[in-house]
Amino acid sequence: MKIGKLKVVFILSNGQTLTVKCKKFEMSKLSGSKGNRELTIEKADRIWSVDLDEVVGVTAKWCLF
């Protein structure tokens, strides 16, 4: 078992970013048709909501804090 969390940064179409720390996440390809995208996050550090149709990029990095 790894110590730490993933730091996931979602880049939105308007240039803003949304950062979430979690143990695991899965997301469908951004190149898929809008309205059919899926996102699953396990053990996130907060409750949040985002329009997946507005996400244009995602980065993830493993962090100890």
Side-chain angles (χ1 to χ4, degrees), residues 17-36:
T17 61
L18 169 72
T19 304
V20 177
K21 290 183 181 177
C22 59
K23 288 289 185 181
K24 180 180 175 183
F25 86 101
E26 292 180 31
M27 184 172 179
S28 61
K29 291 183 179 181
L30 292 177
S31 59
S33 63
K34 290 186 176 184
N36 293 321

Side-chain angles (χ1 to χ4, degrees), residues 35-65:
N36 293 321
R37 296 180 181 173
E38 294 181 16
L39 173 65
T40 303
I41 292 187
E42 292 182 13
K43 298 183 181 179
D45 63 339
R46 65 192 72 180
I47 298 172
W48 58 276
S49 176
V50 64
D51 183 355
L52 289 180
D53 290 338
E54 297 299 318
V55 175
V56 294
V58 178
T59 65
K61 178 181 178 181
W62 197 260
C63 297
L64 293 177
F65 51 90

Side-chain angles (χ1 to χ4, degrees), residues 4 6 44 60:
L6 279 171

